[in-house]
Amino acid sequence: MRFDQHTVVLLSRPTDAPQLPLDAADRLQDAHLAHHAGLVEQGLVLAAGPFVDADDERLRGFVVLSISPQEARELYHNDPAVRAGRLGVQVMSWMVPEGIVRFESVPLPRSILAAAAGD
């Protein structure tokens, strides 16, 4: 059997994440979303999204990328939310039987406002 190999990034909230005023947290989230949307526009992200109803509330999101784990580490260490200590990054390779997972190109929101609007 052949396998496809993808890079997965798990985003989590560190236990020592800084507390920010709501407006600062919103600005940082917008910067994070814009960074992420830029990676999608470059064709690097195959799938991404936040977690909801997770057993571990520290887990924030999941990303599947078309690049090497090392490249993913470099890109996500430049994410504004990671640099600010609000998100932590775990990077790993994910192997699935060849062709079992299909990805569609869909734009991601660049801000909280765009995400809330659903456009």
Side-chain angles (χ1 to χ4, degrees):
M1 176 176 281
R2 289 191 238 187
F3 289 87
D4 290 329
Q5 186 170 331
H6 305 287
T7 297
V8 170
V9 172
L10 289 177
L11 299 170
S12 60
R13 177 71 34 88
T15 55
D16 61 348
Q19 296 297 316
L20 299 174
L22 184 57
D23 61 330
D26 286 350
R27 283 192 308 274
L28 187 58
Q29 183 66 11
D30 282 351
H32 162 70
L33 291 173
H35 174 79
H36 216 265
L39 298 179
V40 170
E41 291 164 2
Q42 293 175 57
L44 305 177
V45 174
L46 300 171
F51 290 123
V52 295
D53 300 327
D55 288 339
D56 183 343
E57 64 185 38
R58 292 172 300 163
L59 294 175
R60 308 306 295 168
F62 176 81
V63 186
V64 181
L65 298 125
S66 62
I67 57 178
S68 74
Q70 185 56 37
E71 291 170 302
R73 283 183 190 92
E74 291 170 16
L75 289 173
Y76 277 88
H77 283 109
N78 287 321
D79 182 311
V82 173
R83 285 195 329 255
R86 292 280 288 175
L87 288 176
V89 177
Q90 295 179 42
V91 178
M92 62 209 72
S93 293
W94 180 44
M95 293 179 61
V96 295
E98 184 177 55
I100 198 167
V101 178
R102 305 257 189 255
F103 299 100
E104 299 279 334
S105 179
V106 177
L108 293 183
R110 298 186 75 82
S111 68
I112 297 169
L113 185 61
D119 294 335

